[in-house]
Each structure stands twice: as C-alpha cells, then as structure tokens.
Amino acid sequence: MADDDRIQKGQTDPLGDTVDRILVGTDRFIIYSVVQASGPAHLTELDDVGEGRQGVSRLFGGNKSSGVDHVWLRTKYPRDYDCAKKLRANLGAIAADLAHICDVVDSICRSGNLDAGSSASLRRRATEMMARAMEMAYEGNKDEAKELLSHLRKNITTLRDSKNRMRYVQGNLLALAAILGIWVGFRFTTLMSSLVVNEASMAFDVHALDVLALGAIGAFFAVSASVSDIRVDHSVSFWEMVYTGFVRIPIGVIAAGVAIFLISGDWLLASIEPSVLPWTYLLFGFLAGFSELFVPNALRQVEGAATVAVPANGAQTPG
C-alpha cells in the first residue's frame, strides 16, 4: 500500500470519521477503529469497489444516539481491485462470527450491568482480538482465525449469561428479604398465636410462619445451588428476568404452606411420632421450597389415594 494511501491516528477516514487506533497495518491492508461513529449498529456488507478506488468496510459499531461510546472496526483496502476482492473473500469465512460477537458485546455494554470503564475495556479487548482474527483471515489462515473467534465468543457469551443470571438472583434476593422481613416483624407478636401449627402436640413453639420462611429459604438455596444451570432467555427485558427470579421465592412459600396442610390433615406422614412433629414441619417446609416437584408429587399421591363413592342405583347425574 502506497504511503499516500496509509491512514494514521487522528486523521479522517474515507467515511468521514476520525481514526482512533491503528490495530493492524500491512502493505496490503490496514485495520483500524473509530469511536462514536454514526451509522447502523450491525455488520455491513462488504462493498466491491472498482479498480482505482479504495474500499473501506465497517465491522463493529453502534448508534451514537444511544449515548454510549461505540467502536467501529474498519479495514482500508488497497487500490488493486483483485487484491481487495481476495481479501474480502478471505474475510467472508469469519464474517458471521464477527457479527455475532459484535452483537453480544453491544448487548452487554447496553445492558447497564457494566460501568463505563468496564464497558470500554470489554470493547477494547474484543476489538483487538477481532482485529487479530481479521488479520489471520486476510493472510489465509482461516482456521486459526475461527479458533480465535471461537475462544472470544465463548468468553463473552459466558459473561453475558452470567450477568443475566445475576438479574434472576437479584429477584430472588429481593423476594427473600421481603419474606424474612415479614417473618422478623411478626414472629414475636401476639398476632402469631392464631397461626400455631398443631401447637398442642409440639415439644416447642413452631409457628406456621416459621415453616413458610423455611420454604422461602429452601427455594433460595435451590436457586443458589444451581445458578449455573439457570436457563437464560436473552430476549426478555431486565425487569422480566428480575420478576422471574422474584416469583420463585413466593412459590416456595406456597409450597411450604401446602406441606403444612398435607401433614396436619394426615394426608402426608400420617404415622409420624408427635415428638418429631415440629422437626417434620420444619424439614418438609424447607423441602417443599427447595424442590419444585415435591408438592406436585405429594398432591398426586393424595389424589391417587382418594376414593370416589359409586352412585346408588337409579341416581341421576346433573344436567
């Protein structure tokens, strides 16, 4: 590439933006970045240019109107049309991976889970690795370029999933704090005397709210123990993810309440010794919140044991 074709930091590129960094510079192509560029926030198609004209492709960026600093990753091609066309063809092997990485990085930075410094650092690291992969592809090392991008893609996807899971956990923590706050506020009041669970047969004072609180704790423990297995839906909003995590705790509370009714009505553990009944309530309240299948399975067991009387001869059904 001739000296007059080279581009330097601080200059204006052919698309009218100021060059922020020169990432790769060779005799055939230059990979550089600009910041706060206008234009669509996606991977643009690589336009073929006629012989004697210079081509510039845009690979990484966003919309300045969002108020967030964005990075455009661009390539300046040589005047030689055949050479530029070959370079574009080589880049085509990793274009889809580049587009996906751009989208993931942009979604992380827009999510609000990172501060400005962390967001800028993430974009900088991703840009540098993508520029290195583009250089490999231009030089014909397509497999090495795809391997590098695969490593980058895995890392940033893991980061995005982790941030979204924390939204779910935040909802859990909010609900648990609310329920435990209620437990602390009412546990030692006289109003709780009406909520005693089979108090006459208990060796110590266990209230229904104690069991319900353990249901909430059991639900939170289940989520915390399997946080890496939480299914992440990237199409939902921040508050939808928080709400999904929030309701998991009330579900545990409801399940613990159902467990109280099942045990009190002798539908579950009918032969339990009175001396261990308090511990039974506490244990099964926790299990009901911990396991989402415990109460449904117990209800199916009760349903299966229920008997339906056969109608007397001549009885008519309604309707």
Side-chain angles (χ1 to χ4, degrees):
M1 184 173 290
D3 291 339
D4 58 347
D5 289 339
R6 291 190 172 275
I7 194 167
Q8 297 180 358
K9 182 177 179 179
Q11 290 184 344
T12 301
D13 74 347
L15 295 178
D17 294 302
T18 303
V19 177
D20 177 63
R21 299 174 64 199
I22 303 296
L23 297 165
V24 178
T26 70
D27 292 336
R28 294 189 299 157
F29 57 87
I30 298 175
I31 303 174
Y32 64 97
S33 65
V34 297
V35 294
Q36 293 185 325
S38 59
H42 60 270
L43 178 72
T44 62
E45 294 189 5
L46 305 177
D47 299 325
D48 287 338
V49 295
E51 187 174 359
R53 297 177 59 191
Q54 296 176 341
V56 176
S57 63
R58 297 185 279 192
L59 285 173
F60 186 38
N63 194 329
K64 185 172 63 176
S65 63
S66 65
V68 181
D69 286 346
H70 295 281
V71 177
W72 287 91
L73 190 59
R74 294 177 178 172
T75 300
K76 187 170 185 181
Y77 293 107
R79 295 177 183 271
D80 187 330
Y81 174 79
D82 291 334
C83 180
K85 185 176 181 179
K86 182 179 179 180
L87 291 173
R88 291 190 180 92
N90 289 342
L91 186 65
I94 62 171
D97 292 326
L98 290 170
H100 178 80
I101 291 171
C102 292
D103 288 341
V104 174
V105 173
D106 194 59
S107 68
I108 294 174
C109 294
R110 290 173 180 269
S111 66
N113 290 321
L114 298 178
D115 56 37
S118 299
S119 177
S121 177
L122 174 62
R123 289 186 183 275
R124 185 182 184 91
R125 294 197 308 270
T127 300
E128 290 173 350
M129 293 188 69
M130 286 193 295
R132 175 58 179 159
M134 291 169 62
E135 180 185 12
M136 291 178 177
Y138 286 143
E139 298 292 349
N141 301 318
K142 300 175 184 178
D143 292 338
E144 291 84 349
K146 291 183 74 69
E147 183 178 354
L148 177 61
L149 290 180
S150 176
H151 176 72
L152 175 60
R153 180 172 178 170
K154 179 180 179 181
N155 287 343
I156 62 173
T157 301
T158 300
L159 175 63
R160 179 185 64 177
D161 292 350
S162 175
K163 295 298 182 181
N164 282 339
R165 288 191 184 97
M166 286 310 300
R167 298 174 179 178
Y168 187 94
V169 175
Q170 287 170 0
N172 267 233
L173 284 170
L174 182 62
L176 180 65
I179 291 172
L180 291 183
I182 295 174
W183 178 76
V184 171
F186 290 94
R187 177 61 178 87
F188 302 106
T189 63
T190 55
L191 294 177
M192 294 303 301
S193 61
S194 62
L195 297 178
V196 174
V197 179
N198 206 4
E199 186 178 18
S201 63
M202 291 188 177
F204 55 89
D205 187 19
V206 173
H207 293 86
L209 196 61
D210 299 331
V211 182
L212 299 180
L214 276 174
I217 294 173
F220 181 77
F221 183 78
V223 170
S224 300
S226 59
V227 64
S228 61
D229 297 326
I230 296 175
R231 186 179 64 85
V232 178
D233 186 352
H234 302 291
S235 64
V236 303
S237 67
F238 172 85
W239 290 111
E240 285 177 303
M241 201 69 180
V242 171
Y243 174 78
T244 303
F246 185 95
V247 297
R248 175 65 179 91
I249 304 301
I251 289 174
V253 173
I254 295 172
V258 174
I260 292 175
F261 286 114
L262 291 176
I263 296 174
S264 299
D266 291 334
W267 289 297
L268 183 65
L269 305 175
S271 60
I272 194 71
E273 291 291 334
S275 60
V276 298
L277 188 59
W279 301 105
T280 301
Y281 278 112
L282 296 176
L283 173 62
F284 279 85
F286 180 86
L287 288 177
F290 177 81
S291 174
E292 294 181 276
L293 297 178
F294 177 80
V295 166
N297 289 339
L299 291 175
R300 292 189 188 95
Q301 180 180 346
V302 172
E303 181 184 16
T307 56
V308 179
V310 179
N313 292 337
Q316 297 180 353
T317 58

